[in-house]
Amino acid sequence: MATLDAKIPEGPLKDKWTNYLNSMKLVSPANKKKLDVIVVGTGIAGSPAAATLAQLGYNVKVFCYQDSPRRAHSVAAQGGINASKNYRNDGDGVYRHFYDMIKGGDYRARESNVYRAAEVSNGIIDQLTAQGVPFAREYGGQITTRSFGGVQVSRTFYAQGQTGQQVLLGSYSALRRMIAKGKVQMYERRQMLELVIKDGHARGIIARNLLTGELERHTAHAVVLATGGYGTIYYLSTLGVTSSGSAAMIAYRNGAFFGNPSFIQIHPTCIPQLSDFQSKLTLMSESLRNDGRIWVPKEQGDKRNPNDIPEEERDYYLERRYPAFGNLVPRDVASRAAKERCDAGYGVGKTGQAVYLDFKHAIKEQGAKAIGSKYGNLFELYEKITGESPYETPMRIYPAGHYTMGGLWVDYELMTTIPGLFAIGEANFSDHGANRLGASSLMQGAGDGYFILPNTIGNYLSDKIKTSRLSTEEPEFEEAEKRVREKLEKLININGSQTAASFHKRLGKIMWDHCGMLRSEEGLKQARTEVRELKQEFWNDLQVPGTLSELNQELEKAVRVADFLDMSQLLIEDALNRHESCGGHFRQEYQTEAGEALRDDENYMYVAAWEYQGEDQMPRLHKEQLTFEFVEVKERTYK
Amino acid sequence: MKVKLKIWRQPNARSKGKFVDYDLDDISPEMSFLEMLDALNTRLIQQGDDPVAYEHDCREGICGSCGLFINGRPHGPEREVATCQLHMRSFRDGDTIVVEPWRAKAFPVIKDLVVDRSAFEKIMDAGGFVSVDTGSAPEANTTPVKKQNAERAFDAGVCIGCGACVAACKNSSASLFVAAKISQLALLPQGKAEAQRRALNMVARMEELGFGSCTSTEACEVECPKSISLDHIARMNREYLRASFSEEKD
């Protein structure tokens, strides 16, 4: 059994990373040339990791699913990226940044990792600026910032509502530079379908060429997964429709522990579902809550035009319930509050599943032009989808599945329980506890990719300089490829009558209803049964047209849905196991009188790390006990 | 609503393609264009036919994957949208809709509506970056950047790499794509050191890859889902000319 040693360095919090860097083993430039690293995924973690590893001198092979690394879904992050530079002189600093994240995550994250994430954040802004990322600026030429939920300082750097795009393209350009230099071999349109393990160490992958169907064997001394989150488990989410949990599930089935799988962030401000055939929900950046005010009518079922509802008949419920943070409470709190109002019959719009986000006051105070310069593209995006202008009518918003705090369990070095297999960015579980604060996903991904992994992986590889390249003719490659081939043949030969998407839609509804914003023992047990039945139906009645040896998008979907079915079972067990509410994990049975999350620190102050025990078998739980030496653990309040 | 689709079907790069007609009669105006194609594909799969291949991912107009030539226009009839943001309410009941892949020598068809846009990647490799290694960057506020320049750089930097500019151009020129990157980096002090060689190398690479020349028809600006301005092509030309006469070029 793998042991759960997080390998946290000794010393005071602020010295841990420095101590680590000072004592880690290095690989000499001459030896780096002999070492191969595979990076899967090219988002805001994978691209900078690959570029930086190549600059250091390793041979890097990069894999992405799309036709270009620039299309990874980090591109869709909107509002910003945090750093504790304290440009505003508003009392910010690394410790406060760390504290906000620990509290924001409801005391379910590892102190040492979170502190390090805050510590490296400033360097990310420097690096991206040098790469030509056009952050928003003041007239004096200095970079400006704004505020995000769950904090009382202004530490979010941004480029209108397209920060993710600008930041990703900065890292992508760094990656392309290394490709041009011949230091990175880029494999586009590939999907990783199996991990190759020899003597307990990750030594390569099997990838499918999505254009030809050919299964390829790739060897390496270490494998890095930067494959993002699995919020598309709900079918409808803010993610790209090809985002999946498949790589994480491959790692899990091969023995990597899965940390807190059910910790999923439901983002409070998304354009509500408008119809049954909808394939995707669109995020409206949290930055809008800097100036927008959230409300519902005080009267249940009030169908008047929102502009006709006078001030005294509006309930600005976030300002009412949380006067200290108001509209800028963290996402989990804002999402639950919206659901509470809608469930109680105060929701607006055709379905009653929406609340208003209103810019009337901000436009009156600052003028339409100033508001447009901050949020113009978001307002346009909203209008394109709904046909209504937020300059004139309040936006209608509702929560949607967004980000997964859960992910592959990693130690301080970002290595999973499989030696040589690393997980970075959203793919790991590490820094956000039970709830992520806004603008910290780009930060964590970029921090892992630029500054953390390129160092920690060296500590691992320093032992491997005498290890020769594993031949792809070895039996481990042979067997891994055989497993992939069998699985694909099984999928394509079911010859049933239902499409992969129809199964995904049904699975998404089960998970959204019972393992989404609100969970209960009864609901989760019902979901457990429903998912088991759906999984059986899937393997008996799936229809995949075409062949294995061509571009076959339906086959790709089927692979994703098959993994989501297995993953759902894992999520449900994790949510059932945790008899408490914390952050985004809200169990109906465990709440305060005021309806806030009620933690049970005595029994659940741990990371639940699950070990695979075989198909449909109950996974085995390992606990990483969390200790808080540097913050006082309190009730998390934003009142 | 009912629509008649004429869709380009081509099994692979080696075989010839042709238009195939499909009638759909249960389309809702609220559907996005891609959701309409999803509905068609569900029907085709259930009939045992090969579904139409097309690319898509984010479905919110930012990843640049989707690119369909609809009724003779890249991304269809609406301005400033990618195909995924186009809705069926932009069409009328009974309309015939012609759907083709991007047509350009530098973008060969892979299957149906999927084309190979890797030529864009090769152009980027010729200099679409600032050569700065991780860890060597100075403090971000050390170099002030004029607010207007940062904003102009952003306006160029929003390119999603979809290829609509190439598809819109009668010469299949990639000038707007190339100019957006050259202009973004030339506007920022961080990109200045390499501005000249970047302009020369990226333009040369574009020409090598089979893209045509710019004759300023302005079609690209009209069809660009992010409304990237032709001004950036003017800036690219200035950068290119200046670099051509410079003694510093290498």
Side-chain angles (χ1 to χ4, degrees), chain A residues 74-318:
Chain A
S74 305
V75 79
Q78 295 175 349
I81 176 166
N82 288 336
S84 25
K85 279 192 175 279
N86 195 27
Y87 281 167
R88 296 262 182 187
N89 195 29
D90 56 2
D92 202 5
V94 172
Y95 182 85
R96 188 176 293 279
H97 191 172
F98 150 78
Y99 178 79
D100 286 342
M101 284 178 76
I102 285 281
K103 178 186 169 192
D106 218 353
Y107 306 92
R108 291 294 175 266
R110 193 188 290 151
E111 272 188 330
S112 55
N113 283 54
V114 177
Y115 192 88
R116 179 179 62 185
E119 195 177 349
V120 302
S121 67
N122 292 346
I124 300 168
I125 302 301
D126 299 340
Q127 189 63 33
L128 292 170
T129 302
Q131 283 166 352
V133 172
F135 285 117
R137 298 206 175 234
E138 303 286 357
Y139 279 106
Q142 311 302 317
I143 301 178
T144 189
T145 55
R146 61 186 171 199
S147 297
F148 256 60
V151 305
Q152 291 168 313
V153 295
S154 176
R155 69 162 74 97
T156 303
F157 294 73
Y158 65 98
Q160 283 198 22
Q162 279 163 251
T163 317
Q165 184 202 25
Q166 295 309 305
V167 164
L168 179 67
L169 292 183
S171 305
Y172 157 77
S173 69
L175 172 62
R176 289 252 59 112
R177 173 174 163 244
M178 300 318 288
I179 294 169
K181 285 188 164 187
K183 307 283 187 193
V184 170
Q185 277 177 277
M186 184 70 224
Y187 295 87
E188 295 97 351
R189 297 187 190 274
R190 301 297 200 287
Q191 185 180 16
M192 169 190 169
L193 287 177
E194 191 49 286
L195 184 67
V196 177
I197 295 178
K198 183 170 171 74
D199 302 330
H201 289 66
R203 294 304 304 274
I205 65 168
I206 306 293
R208 179 171 182 268
N209 180 325
L210 298 178
L211 296 184
T212 63
E214 190 192 339
L215 297 180
E216 302 169 343
R217 303 174 182 188
H218 296 277
T219 183
H221 294 87
V223 176
V224 180
L225 297 184
T227 46
Y230 46 88
T232 31
I233 200 160
Y234 296 125
Y235 184 67
L236 287 177
S237 77
T238 64
L239 275 72
V241 296
T242 62
S243 297
S244 80
S246 292
M249 287 305 287
I250 290 163
Y252 170 66
R253 285 192 205 100
N254 277 288
F257 292 4
F258 209 120
N260 297 333
S262 73
F263 284 4
I264 303 189
Q265 175 160 83
I266 310 296
H267 197 294
T269 53
C270 303
I271 301 177
Q273 185 177 357
L274 299 168
S275 59
D276 197 40
F277 42 74
Q278 203 154 328
S279 57
K280 144 101 194 173
L281 295 171
T282 301
L283 175 70
M284 286 285 108
S285 166
E286 175 167 316
S287 61
L288 294 166
R289 289 197 271 142
N290 269 285
D291 289 299
R293 296 177 67 192
I294 293 178
W295 63 277
V296 291
K298 280 186 180 162
E299 192 83 12
Q300 280 173 334
D302 189 338
K303 292 285 171 207
R304 280 178 290 174
N305 180 318
N307 291 326
D308 295 338
I309 300 179
E311 280 301 311
E312 59 277 12
E313 292 173 40
R314 298 173 172 201
D315 177 16
Y316 294 92
Y317 58 87
L318 287 177

